Amino acid sequence: MSWKPLRVLTPRSILPALAVMLVLAAGAAAHANKPVPFGDRVAGPGDAEATPVNSQSLSAADLELKVGPGLEAYHRQTGEQAWSYRREGATALYLAMAGENAIVLWDDGLVTSVRPGDHEVRWHRAVPGLADWLRGDGEPGADKRTDEQRKQLAQERAAAALHTVQKDSPWVAVVTPNLTTGLRDLDGDLRYNSKPPGNCVYDPMRTVGTDYAVLVPRSCLGGNGQPVSGGITGYRLDSTGWALNAGPAVQIKALDGSRVLISDGPIVPPKVFDTKAAAPEVACGSPSAPFAALHPQGACADPAGTPTADATPIAPAPATDQPSAQPSVQPSRPAGDQPSAPAADQSSAPAIDQP
């Protein structure tokens, strides 16, 4: 047997091994310093990292929740801060409850769901075009707004954009002029998205929510640029939605958890619509009362408020890429409960970002 001398390690032979070690070390450091997704940071009093909370002993009823600059939680009995949820580079604008969960709308167009009992961030969803509309950049007079006016505008629009529906399984609607979306609060699943057709836009500032549905008016312009008849779209997740014909200046007012009053100008009498039954109420003494699908609750309604037109039910239709006069529903998955069929004014929109 011949024995070869031990190989002498030269600097040149050591370089590949060192390079591999440096790459591995850099990868480990990057992983250790990986930023929290979406810039989330949950902290306790004194800006220390929040400790886990027993969700059995603490609930939303035990806490007072506020927004700005993030979601801040305080103990109702003592007034002491329990925890805060903030996102780097973003400001919380509006808060709404969906069941026991807090839904927060941020100025960068993100919507998040937080469980107050254990301050867990449950899901994130980005809504296309929301941040631009909140800022109002490029609108007439936008360059003359002060910082305080911009802040106030963003807060007002955030409150108009975010709606939560409590019955029967809580869900979230986000409305902008060019897109309205429905998210299931259980997991943030996208249940529908809707774009207005042609020369029409949705009006978030006139949108009204009840415990069963969200009603979104839309306004349209004719070929001459003058307002023409629009409509109201009713959105639900547990059944089909509906569409109501309406003028360009229609107003909606919530009467209780299910009924709304629809006022459509001086010529058309006001009417009461029940979003739970998805039908208009007919006043006592009205000629159409014997044939009414829904009679007024409690005392008789004013005959002057007799509905003049029934709602048009909407059947589910496949989503398309182009706006059309027919509704389209784009469920994010075929399994599970089916979304309501949005109104006859939508088409598919860009998919919402998911974490």
Side-chain angles (χ1 to χ4, degrees), residues 260-289:
V260 297
L261 178 66
I262 300 176
S263 302
D264 202 5
I267 299 178
V268 181
K271 54 189 174 185
V272 175
F273 192 88
D274 193 305
T275 60
K276 179 180 180 180
E281 284 188 353
V282 174
C284 296
S286 169
S288 58

Side-chain angles (χ1 to χ4, degrees), residues 189-214:
D189 187 37
L190 172 63
R191 305 308 295 168
Y192 68 80
N193 55 16
S194 168
K195 293 180 66 176
N199 295 327
C200 300
V201 293
Y202 295 126
D203 191 340
M205 307 306 292
R206 291 186 293 157
T207 297
V208 172
T210 71
D211 289 344
Y212 299 90
V214 174

Side-chain angles (χ1 to χ4, degrees), residues 212-299:
Y212 299 90
V214 174
L215 293 87
V216 184
R218 71 178 182 276
S219 56
C220 305
L221 296 178
N224 57 359
Q226 297 298 317
V228 296
S229 296
I232 300 173
T233 306
Y235 294 94
R236 296 179 64 164
L237 290 191
D238 59 346
S239 66
T240 56
W242 62 86
L244 297 169
N245 293 325
V250 64
Q251 297 293 324
I252 310 172
K253 179 182 179 181
L255 299 178
D256 51 36
S258 64
R259 300 182 306 149
V260 297
L261 178 66
I262 300 176
S263 302
D264 202 5
I267 299 178
V268 181
K271 54 189 174 185
V272 175
F273 192 88
D274 193 305
T275 60
K276 179 180 180 180
E281 284 188 353
V282 174
C284 296
S286 169
S288 58
F291 311 99
L294 189 68
H295 293 281
Q297 302 179 14

Side-chain angles (χ1 to χ4, degrees), residues 45-104:
D47 208 33
E49 185 173 352
T51 56
V53 178
N54 185 346
S55 60
Q56 299 299 323
S57 60
L58 196 64
S59 66
D62 302 316
L63 299 170
E64 181 180 2
L65 302 176
K66 300 179 180 180
V67 290
L71 177 62
E72 318 293 328
Y74 300 87
H75 293 285
R76 289 190 180 275
Q77 292 184 347
T78 64
E80 297 179 352
Q81 186 182 42
W83 50 264
S84 69
Y85 162 47
R86 301 185 183 183
R87 294 182 50 244
E88 184 178 356
T91 300
L93 296 177
Y94 188 69
L95 163 70
M97 298 302 295
E100 289 291 318
N101 300 313
I103 310 298
V104 185

